[in-house]
PDB file of all heavy atoms in Angstrom:
ATOM      1  N   GLU Y 215       4.061  32.472 -10.536  1.00  0.00           N
ATOM      2  CA  GLU Y 215       2.722  31.901 -10.899  1.00  0.00           C
ATOM      3  C   GLU Y 215       2.918  30.785 -11.933  1.00  0.00           C
ATOM      4  O   GLU Y 215       2.268  29.739 -11.733  1.00  0.00           O
ATOM      5  CB  GLU Y 215       1.835  32.998 -11.459  1.00  0.00           C
ATOM      6  CG  GLU Y 215       0.417  32.421 -11.751  1.00  0.00           C
ATOM      7  CD  GLU Y 215      -0.465  33.541 -12.384  1.00  0.00           C
ATOM      8  OE1 GLU Y 215      -0.102  34.690 -12.311  1.00  0.00           O
ATOM      9  OE2 GLU Y 215      -1.605  33.178 -12.744  1.00  0.00           O
ATOM     10  N   GLN Y 216       3.803  30.979 -12.865  1.00  0.00           N
ATOM     11  CA  GLN Y 216       4.031  29.899 -13.912  1.00  0.00           C
ATOM     12  C   GLN Y 216       4.713  28.735 -13.165  1.00  0.00           C
ATOM     13  O   GLN Y 216       4.315  27.633 -13.601  1.00  0.00           O
ATOM     14  CB  GLN Y 216       4.959  30.428 -14.881  1.00  0.00           C
ATOM     15  CG  GLN Y 216       4.276  31.495 -15.875  1.00  0.00           C
ATOM     16  CD  GLN Y 216       5.277  31.992 -17.028  1.00  0.00           C
ATOM     17  OE1 GLN Y 216       5.827  31.167 -17.726  1.00  0.00           O
ATOM     18  NE2 GLN Y 216       5.489  33.280 -17.053  1.00  0.00           N
ATOM     19  N   ILE Y 217       5.607  28.952 -12.342  1.00  0.00           N
ATOM     20  CA  ILE Y 217       6.285  27.784 -11.604  1.00  0.00           C
ATOM     21  C   ILE Y 217       5.139  27.051 -10.835  1.00  0.00           C
ATOM     22  O   ILE Y 217       5.111  25.849 -10.907  1.00  0.00           O
ATOM     23  CB  ILE Y 217       7.323  28.296 -10.691  1.00  0.00           C
ATOM     24  CG1 ILE Y 217       8.434  28.910 -11.553  1.00  0.00           C
ATOM     25  CG2 ILE Y 217       7.883  27.190  -9.837  1.00  0.00           C
ATOM     26  CD1 ILE Y 217       9.572  29.660 -10.707  1.00  0.00           C
ATOM     27  N   GLU Y 218       4.441  27.761 -10.044  1.00  0.00           N
ATOM     28  CA  GLU Y 218       3.193  27.136  -9.350  1.00  0.00           C
ATOM     29  C   GLU Y 218       2.317  26.247 -10.249  1.00  0.00           C
ATOM     30  O   GLU Y 218       2.001  24.971  -9.909  1.00  0.00           O
ATOM     31  CB  GLU Y 218       2.513  28.025  -8.541  1.00  0.00           C
ATOM     32  CG  GLU Y 218       1.245  27.558  -7.654  1.00  0.00           C
ATOM     33  CD  GLU Y 218       1.807  26.575  -6.601  1.00  0.00           C
ATOM     34  OE1 GLU Y 218       2.925  26.688  -6.201  1.00  0.00           O
ATOM     35  OE2 GLU Y 218       0.948  25.854  -6.148  1.00  0.00           O
ATOM     36  N   ASN Y 219       1.933  26.795 -11.305  1.00  0.00           N
ATOM     37  CA  ASN Y 219       1.158  26.035 -12.314  1.00  0.00           C
ATOM     38  C   ASN Y 219       1.781  24.853 -12.823  1.00  0.00           C
ATOM     39  O   ASN Y 219       1.116  23.740 -12.984  1.00  0.00           O
ATOM     40  CB  ASN Y 219       0.659  27.030 -13.435  1.00  0.00           C
ATOM     41  CG  ASN Y 219      -0.253  28.118 -12.949  1.00  0.00           C
ATOM     42  OD1 ASN Y 219      -1.049  27.974 -11.934  1.00  0.00           O
ATOM     43  ND2 ASN Y 219      -0.407  29.170 -13.693  1.00  0.00           N
ATOM     44  N   THR Y 220       2.995  24.959 -13.121  1.00  0.00           N
ATOM     45  CA  THR Y 220       3.791  23.808 -13.637  1.00  0.00           C
ATOM     46  C   THR Y 220       3.922  22.767 -12.672  1.00  0.00           C
ATOM     47  O   THR Y 220       3.697  21.566 -12.786  1.00  0.00           O
ATOM     48  CB  THR Y 220       5.277  24.276 -14.064  1.00  0.00           C
ATOM     49  OG1 THR Y 220       5.148  25.221 -15.079  1.00  0.00           O
ATOM     50  CG2 THR Y 220       6.089  23.084 -14.393  1.00  0.00           C
ATOM     51  N   LEU Y 221       4.258  23.091 -11.338  1.00  0.00           N
ATOM     52  CA  LEU Y 221       4.370  22.076 -10.234  1.00  0.00           C
ATOM     53  C   LEU Y 221       2.970  21.332  -9.967  1.00  0.00           C
ATOM     54  O   LEU Y 221       2.984  20.245  -9.704  1.00  0.00           O
ATOM     55  CB  LEU Y 221       4.937  22.698  -9.053  1.00  0.00           C
ATOM     56  CG  LEU Y 221       6.393  23.209  -9.201  1.00  0.00           C
ATOM     57  CD1 LEU Y 221       6.876  23.773  -7.846  1.00  0.00           C
ATOM     58  CD2 LEU Y 221       7.321  22.152  -9.626  1.00  0.00           C
ATOM     59  N   VAL Y 222       1.971  22.115  -9.966  1.00  0.00           N
ATOM     60  CA  VAL Y 222       0.620  21.673  -9.750  1.00  0.00           C
ATOM     61  C   VAL Y 222       0.324  20.562 -10.795  1.00  0.00           C
ATOM     62  O   VAL Y 222      -0.285  19.564 -10.489  1.00  0.00           O
ATOM     63  CB  VAL Y 222      -0.434  22.797  -9.761  1.00  0.00           C
ATOM     64  CG1 VAL Y 222      -1.796  22.093  -9.807  1.00  0.00           C
ATOM     65  CG2 VAL Y 222      -0.307  23.573  -8.476  1.00  0.00           C
ATOM     66  N   SER Y 223       0.592  20.862 -12.005  1.00  0.00           N
ATOM     67  CA  SER Y 223       0.261  19.876 -13.099  1.00  0.00           C
ATOM     68  C   SER Y 223       1.040  18.665 -12.994  1.00  0.00           C
ATOM     69  O   SER Y 223       0.560  17.586 -13.224  1.00  0.00           O
ATOM     70  CB  SER Y 223       0.495  20.576 -14.406  1.00  0.00           C
ATOM     71  OG  SER Y 223       1.879  20.648 -14.746  1.00  0.00           O
ATOM     72  N   LYS Y 224       2.296  18.779 -12.456  1.00  0.00           N
ATOM     73  CA  LYS Y 224       3.192  17.585 -12.291  1.00  0.00           C
ATOM     74  C   LYS Y 224       2.571  16.808 -11.074  1.00  0.00           C
ATOM     75  O   LYS Y 224       2.555  15.546 -11.115  1.00  0.00           O
ATOM     76  CB  LYS Y 224       4.584  17.970 -12.096  1.00  0.00           C
ATOM     77  CG  LYS Y 224       5.062  18.619 -13.348  1.00  0.00           C
ATOM     78  CD  LYS Y 224       6.495  18.776 -13.298  1.00  0.00           C
ATOM     79  CE  LYS Y 224       7.219  19.511 -14.420  1.00  0.00           C
ATOM     80  NZ  LYS Y 224       6.711  19.036 -15.713  1.00  0.00           N
ATOM     81  N   GLU Y 225       2.109  17.411 -10.000  1.00  0.00           N
ATOM     82  CA  GLU Y 225       1.538  16.747  -8.830  1.00  0.00           C
ATOM     83  C   GLU Y 225       0.268  16.029  -9.291  1.00  0.00           C
ATOM     84  O   GLU Y 225      -0.103  14.939  -8.822  1.00  0.00           O
ATOM     85  CB  GLU Y 225       1.375  17.676  -7.650  1.00  0.00           C
ATOM     86  CG  GLU Y 225       2.743  18.194  -7.092  1.00  0.00           C
ATOM     87  CD  GLU Y 225       2.470  19.223  -5.948  1.00  0.00           C
ATOM     88  OE1 GLU Y 225       1.365  19.345  -5.514  1.00  0.00           O
ATOM     89  OE2 GLU Y 225       3.468  19.880  -5.564  1.00  0.00           O
ATOM     90  N   GLU Y 226      -0.517  16.688 -10.055  1.00  0.00           N
ATOM     91  CA  GLU Y 226      -1.742  16.101 -10.468  1.00  0.00           C
ATOM     92  C   GLU Y 226      -1.498  14.811 -11.280  1.00  0.00           C
ATOM     93  O   GLU Y 226      -2.247  13.805 -11.160  1.00  0.00           O
ATOM     94  CB  GLU Y 226      -2.564  17.090 -11.384  1.00  0.00           C
ATOM     95  CG  GLU Y 226      -3.199  18.248 -10.565  1.00  0.00           C
ATOM     96  CD  GLU Y 226      -3.886  19.267 -11.462  1.00  0.00           C
ATOM     97  OE1 GLU Y 226      -3.627  19.263 -12.640  1.00  0.00           O
ATOM     98  OE2 GLU Y 226      -4.615  20.091 -10.864  1.00  0.00           O
TER      99      GLU Y 226
END
Side-chain angles (χ1 to χ4, degrees):
E215 182 180 355
Q216 290 183 53
I217 293 171
E218 178 63 20
N219 291 336
T220 297
L221 294 181
V222 166
S223 69
K224 296 192 186 307
E225 289 179 15
E226 288 174 348

